[in-house]
Amino acid sequence: MEPQAPVSAQSRAVTIPRSMFVYMPLYGGLVVLAGVLGIKIASLGHWPVVGNLAVESGIFAFLLLVVLSSAVAELHGTVVATRLVRFGFIPLIVSMSLLTLVIHVVPPAPFWSDQDAYARLLGQGARMQFAGLVSYGVSQTLNVTVFARLAAGREGSMLMLRAWIASLLSQVVDTLIFITISFAGVLPLWSIMEGQIISKVLLSTIMVPPFIWLFVKLGRKLDGV
């Protein structure tokens, strides 16, 4: 006969949906990756009326964060999605701290000559790090909140439209907060914001609707729903 787990351990057992086992580590990884990808400024080409568009490449990871938090809200409720966003601060803060430590405290090997390039690409000032934390927390919480409010009374319907509207609002707010905190008093804010907002609205329109459909469908399949 197999030994039985103590009653206290059984009482503490928590059943985690299979989709959360997939989406939680993916979310944490994307939180970290967004900052690294953001080093590159990507060209979105030339568009009628608005002209040439460029955006920091971290937006691709960030939009997937938006999709994941919305998918979790659809599958498991607003409370779980909000907790996912809050727990996202942990890998974000840890990654920022480790990068700061490696760049400014850990000395490079004598034969390694890329320290300056490494610091220039991956290093961020305290002001930009703070801006990233604030903009992440506010915009992702806003995304989950708006997505949930739009779902009230119509659960399961208009999924892609709800996700698209929530992502548009959250991306605009993210840009306003991050650029204002990072560059207020240093650079002209609107000249930076304008192109970023247009680019993020465009990418939200292209990426969010199909990806939210995909992640919700995958999540339900994983959970056997």
Side-chain angles (χ1 to χ4, degrees):
M1 179 180 295
E2 295 183 1
Q4 297 293 319
V7 175
S8 58
Q10 291 178 346
S11 64
R12 292 196 301 269
V14 177
T15 301
I16 301 177
R18 190 176 298 175
S19 62
M20 291 302 294
F21 272 111
V22 176
Y23 290 168
M24 283 192 297
L26 178 58
Y27 188 93
L30 287 170
V31 168
V32 175
L33 188 60
V36 178
L37 292 178
I39 296 168
K40 178 178 179 177
I41 305 300
S43 171
L44 300 183
H46 183 84
W47 293 78
V49 181
V50 296
N52 294 320
L53 291 179
V55 68
E56 48 91 13
S57 297
I59 185 61
F60 298 108
F62 207 91
L63 283 177
L64 288 177
L65 290 175
V66 168
V67 169
L68 279 169
S69 60
S70 297
V72 169
E74 183 75 6
L75 294 168
H76 306 294
T78 308
V79 173
V80 176
T82 302
R83 287 176 180 170
L84 180 69
V85 171
R86 291 175 181 171
F87 285 135
F89 278 107
I90 297 174
L92 183 58
I93 292 173
V94 170
S95 63
M96 287 180 173
S97 301
L98 285 176
L99 277 173
T100 300
L101 177 69
V102 169
I103 291 172
H104 298 291
V105 178
V106 178
F111 56 83
W112 192 64
S113 60
D114 294 324
Q115 171 68 16
D116 291 340
Y118 183 86
R120 185 175 68 255
L121 289 175
L122 294 177
Q124 284 187 334
R127 184 172 175 175
M128 291 187 69
Q129 289 184 335
F130 177 71
L133 289 170
V134 175
S135 60
Y136 162 79
V138 173
S139 63
Q140 288 285 11
T141 301
L142 177 64
N143 175 71
V144 171
T145 302
V146 172
F147 181 82
R149 292 287 179 86
L150 292 173
R154 54 178 70 88
E155 284 76 5
S157 64
M158 297 190 296
L159 171 65
M160 292 190 288
L161 178 61
R162 289 186 278 121
W164 176 65
I165 293 173
S167 70
L168 287 182
L169 292 175
S170 66
Q171 288 305 295
V172 170
V173 169
D174 175 79
T175 302
L176 292 173
I177 293 175
F178 182 81
I179 291 180
T180 299
I181 295 177
S182 297
F183 302 112
V186 179
L187 297 173
L189 299 181
W190 180 245
S191 63
I192 305 174
M193 289 181 185
E194 183 179 12
Q196 290 287 305
I197 290 175
I198 294 173
S199 299
K200 289 181 177 181
V201 167
L202 176 64
L203 287 174
S204 293
T205 302
I206 295 172
M207 288 182 59
V208 170
F211 273 100
I212 186 66
W213 177 86
L214 177 63
F215 276 92
V216 170
K217 186 177 180 64
L218 176 60
R220 287 174 176 158
K221 185 174 182 179
L222 288 169
D223 295 337
V225 178

mmCIF file of all heavy atoms in Angstrom, residues 21 56 64-65 86 141 150 153 172 187:
data_model
loop_
_atom_site.group_PDB
_atom_site.id
_atom_site.type_symbol
_atom_site.label_atom_id
_atom_site.label_comp_id
_atom_site.label_asym_id
_atom_site.label_seq_id
_atom_site.Cartn_x
_atom_site.Cartn_y
_atom_site.Cartn_z
ATOM 1 N N PHE A 21 0.086 26.372 -16.158
ATOM 2 C CA PHE A 21 1.450 25.856 -16.131
ATOM 3 C C PHE A 21 2.220 26.297 -17.371
ATOM 4 O O PHE A 21 3.443 26.452 -17.340
ATOM 5 C CB PHE A 21 1.445 24.319 -16.057
ATOM 6 C CG PHE A 21 1.383 23.775 -14.661
ATOM 7 C CD1 PHE A 21 0.249 23.121 -14.212
ATOM 8 C CD2 PHE A 21 2.452 23.922 -13.792
ATOM 9 C CE1 PHE A 21 0.184 22.618 -12.924
ATOM 10 C CE2 PHE A 21 2.397 23.428 -12.500
ATOM 11 C CZ PHE A 21 1.255 22.769 -12.061
ATOM 12 N N GLU A 56 10.257 50.498 -30.830
ATOM 13 C CA GLU A 56 11.214 49.647 -30.139
ATOM 14 C C GLU A 56 10.687 48.208 -30.164
ATOM 15 O O GLU A 56 9.499 47.954 -29.969
ATOM 16 C CB GLU A 56 11.473 50.152 -28.721
ATOM 17 C CG GLU A 56 10.254 50.477 -27.891
ATOM 18 C CD GLU A 56 9.782 49.283 -27.096
ATOM 19 O OE1 GLU A 56 10.532 48.298 -27.010
ATOM 20 O OE2 GLU A 56 8.649 49.335 -26.585
ATOM 21 N N LEU A 64 2.411 40.407 -26.564
ATOM 22 C CA LEU A 64 2.117 39.034 -26.150
ATOM 23 C C LEU A 64 1.783 38.976 -24.664
ATOM 24 O O LEU A 64 0.957 38.154 -24.233
ATOM 25 C CB LEU A 64 3.297 38.118 -26.467
ATOM 26 C CG LEU A 64 3.507 37.816 -27.954
ATOM 27 C CD1 LEU A 64 4.751 36.946 -28.144
ATOM 28 C CD2 LEU A 64 2.280 37.128 -28.552
ATOM 29 N N LEU A 65 2.386 39.850 -23.848
ATOM 30 C CA LEU A 65 2.002 39.953 -22.438
ATOM 31 C C LEU A 65 0.548 40.397 -22.314
ATOM 32 O O LEU A 65 -0.206 39.877 -21.482
ATOM 33 C CB LEU A 65 2.912 40.942 -21.705
ATOM 34 C CG LEU A 65 4.363 40.532 -21.484
ATOM 35 C CD1 LEU A 65 5.149 41.674 -20.858
ATOM 36 C CD2 LEU A 65 4.436 39.295 -20.599
ATOM 37 N N ARG A 86 0.726 41.106 -11.296
ATOM 38 C CA ARG A 86 1.492 41.510 -10.108
ATOM 39 C C ARG A 86 2.719 40.626 -9.903
ATOM 40 O O ARG A 86 3.800 41.116 -9.565
ATOM 41 C CB ARG A 86 0.589 41.469 -8.879
ATOM 42 C CG ARG A 86 -0.481 42.557 -8.885
ATOM 43 C CD ARG A 86 -1.440 42.420 -7.729
ATOM 44 N NE ARG A 86 -2.464 43.459 -7.763
ATOM 45 C CZ ARG A 86 -3.538 43.486 -6.978
ATOM 46 N NH1 ARG A 86 -3.722 42.512 -6.092
ATOM 47 N NH2 ARG A 86 -4.416 44.456 -7.078
ATOM 48 N N THR A 141 -2.339 46.276 -15.778
ATOM 49 C CA THR A 141 -3.533 46.254 -14.927
ATOM 50 C C THR A 141 -4.712 46.878 -15.653
ATOM 51 O O THR A 141 -5.845 46.381 -15.576
ATOM 52 C CB THR A 141 -3.261 47.002 -13.614
ATOM 53 O OG1 THR A 141 -2.157 46.380 -12.933
ATOM 54 C CG2 THR A 141 -4.486 46.963 -12.706
ATOM 55 N N LEU A 150 -15.427 45.085 -20.301
ATOM 56 C CA LEU A 150 -16.098 44.900 -21.592
ATOM 57 C C LEU A 150 -16.761 43.528 -21.681
ATOM 58 O O LEU A 150 -17.701 43.346 -22.464
ATOM 59 C CB LEU A 150 -15.092 45.058 -22.738
ATOM 60 C CG LEU A 150 -14.527 46.465 -22.955
ATOM 61 C CD1 LEU A 150 -13.430 46.434 -24.011
ATOM 62 C CD2 LEU A 150 -15.617 47.436 -23.362
ATOM 63 N N GLY A 153 -21.434 40.627 -18.705
ATOM 64 C CA GLY A 153 -22.708 40.315 -19.323
ATOM 65 C C GLY A 153 -22.614 39.692 -20.692
ATOM 66 O O GLY A 153 -23.634 39.330 -21.277
ATOM 67 N N VAL A 172 -1.402 52.875 -25.316
ATOM 68 C CA VAL A 172 -1.308 54.340 -25.302
ATOM 69 C C VAL A 172 -0.876 54.816 -23.920
ATOM 70 O O VAL A 172 0.025 55.669 -23.783
ATOM 71 C CB VAL A 172 -2.652 54.972 -25.705
ATOM 72 C CG1 VAL A 172 -2.628 56.477 -25.455
ATOM 73 C CG2 VAL A 172 -2.962 54.693 -27.174
ATOM 74 N N LEU A 187 13.860 65.808 -23.202
ATOM 75 C CA LEU A 187 13.540 65.791 -24.626
ATOM 76 C C LEU A 187 12.096 66.234 -24.846
ATOM 77 O O LEU A 187 11.269 66.134 -23.921
ATOM 78 C CB LEU A 187 13.732 64.374 -25.201
ATOM 79 C CG LEU A 187 15.158 63.799 -25.169
ATOM 80 C CD1 LEU A 187 15.129 62.332 -25.604
ATOM 81 C CD2 LEU A 187 16.091 64.603 -26.053
#
